[in-house]
Amino acid sequence: MIMKIDDINSCSSSFLNYAVLYKEEVDSTNLWAKQLAKEGAPEGTVTIADAQTAGRGRLGRVWASEGGHSVYMSLVLRPQIAPEQASMLTLAAGLAAAKACNDIYRKHTVQNTPEVAAQIKWPNDVVLSGKKVCGILTEMGMDGGEIAYVVVGIGINVNAKAFPKELCHTATSLALETGSQISREEVIRTVLEEFDRCYRQFLETGNLANLLLEYNEMLVNRNREIRVLDPKGEYGGVAVGINEKGELIVNKKDGTCVEVYAGEVSVRGIYGYV
Ligand code: BTN
């Protein structure tokens, strides 16, 4: 199913100069974007595919990517930041995606829609009704000790009507949640517009100071009991929010407070996915 690239290019961004590229099928839009970045593609290059044959998720997982109903997109960035700041960018992207899903959700539901319907499961999954609707994979290319490029890959379940048995309790789509068929071009345009703003605000300070309030307001883990799945040892606590570095502040049962760095760690709610 071909997407209407003109509809996507009509997005109103003031900071990034987007150049959108589309293929019906690709191994992974992240791999494609990384290849283009290595060949010199400028910041703002966006790769989009209808289907991916080797979609990749966080922590080495597979991202199921059949064609016809979802969004698979990757952005090439060239931020002048230190490598250790790049993990914050992934949270800024999560916020942008969550804002976009929230906008779309609110537009397509009629009454009594809460202001914050889409939420963020730290660090950057977007959830609706407690189920995942969007995931983000950020990858970085280095040149000497410096960042040559960052690729932010975003996968959004837009019009999927059903999920395999192993995912149906944890995954959802915008269409399932709103009861409406959603234009993928509109989703992509909204993500690009929100990302333009969040990226600019992130670069202003080089951390999440400008985005902290918005992020914490959307954080589904906030004030909830969670398990921190740290490869060095799992533990529990109550998440209070993120700090300016994007670390999750967790009050442990023993009275200590830890700041969890995203890297190899993920969290889950004690009663299920969130
Ligand atoms: C996650 O595990 O939650 C991250 C999923 C990221 C999937 C997107 S789809 C577009 C881009 N291309 C990929 O191969 N992965 C990302």
Side-chain angles (χ1 to χ4, degrees):
M1 192 187 292
I2 310 234
M3 283 195 220
K4 296 184 210 109
I5 299 301
D6 286 351
D7 281 9
I8 298 168
N9 273 322
S10 70
C11 97
S12 65
S13 63
S14 54
F15 185 66
L16 282 162
N17 258 328
Y18 289 122
V20 178
L21 304 171
Y22 172 76
K23 282 186 186 176
E24 214 160 314
E25 186 177 277
V26 77
D27 47 3
S28 150
T29 56
N30 264 31
L31 291 176
W32 181 19
K34 286 204 287 185
Q35 188 53 42
L36 294 175
K38 283 179 202 152
E39 290 163 7
E43 171 158 276
T45 303
V46 181
T47 55
I48 296 177
D50 179 52
Q52 298 185 120
T53 54
R56 297 145 76 234
R58 272 188 83 222
L59 310 175
R61 297 182 191 124
V62 167
W63 186 259
S65 306
E66 71 175 48
H69 55 64
S70 286
V71 161
Y72 313 112
M73 62 190 286
S74 302
L75 284 85
V76 175
L77 304 171
R78 298 195 182 272
Q80 293 186 358
I81 55 171
E84 53 275 17
Q85 289 168 284
S87 67
M88 294 183 247
L89 193 46
T90 201
L91 274 78
L95 176 62
K99 285 270 169 193
C101 290
N102 202 49
D103 282 2
I104 302 278
Y105 179 85
R106 284 170 56 81
K107 221 181 202 175
H108 290 269
T109 43
V110 220
Q111 277 170 357
N112 304 328
T113 315
E115 210 142 292
V116 179
Q119 293 177 294
I120 304 167
K121 176 175 172 283
W122 184 83
N124 57 13
D125 286 353
V126 181
V127 299
L128 268 171
S129 309
K131 293 180 177 182
K132 179 160 168 170
V133 71
C134 162
I136 295 177
L137 175 67
T138 304
E139 299 183 272
M140 188 161 72
M142 301 290 290
D143 185 5
E146 292 181 358
I147 293 181
Y149 62 84
V150 173
V151 164
V152 176
I154 304 175
I156 306 178
N157 304 327
V158 180
N159 289 316
K161 292 285 172 338
F163 289 90
K165 221 160 119 204
E166 64 279 11
L167 289 180
C168 67
H169 296 294
T170 53
T172 191
S173 69
L174 291 169
L176 285 174
E177 296 302 317
T178 57
S180 309
Q181 179 83 2
I182 311 279
S183 143
R184 289 184 291 173
E185 289 85 350
E186 184 190 3
V187 173
I188 295 167
R189 219 174 41 230
T190 314
V191 169
L192 292 178
E193 286 171 359
E194 288 291 349
F195 185 80
D196 186 72
R197 175 184 68 85
C198 291
Y199 184 54
R200 178 176 49 75
Q201 291 194 310
F202 163 72
L203 289 181
E204 260 169 34
T205 58
N207 63 29
L208 296 168
N210 288 332
L211 303 169
L212 199 60
L213 279 179
E214 267 182 273
Y215 185 100
N216 279 333
E217 203 177 73
M218 297 188 96
L219 183 63
V220 72
N221 312 102
R222 199 174 188 187
N223 300 326
R224 285 204 192 175
E225 245 182 281
I226 53 154
R227 297 288 302 163
V228 178
L229 310 179
D230 188 331
K232 290 190 228 108
E234 204 180 304
Y235 56 89
V238 174
V240 245
I242 61 158
N243 61 21
E244 290 181 0
K245 290 185 276 179
E247 296 160 338
L248 186 68
I249 306 164
V250 179
N251 287 335
K252 288 170 77 173
K253 288 206 173 81
D254 63 8
T256 58
C257 175
V258 284
E259 293 175 326
V260 187
Y261 173 74
E264 291 296 295
V265 177
S266 57
V267 300
R268 65 171 161 74
I270 57 160
Y271 301 115
Y273 172 63
V274 294

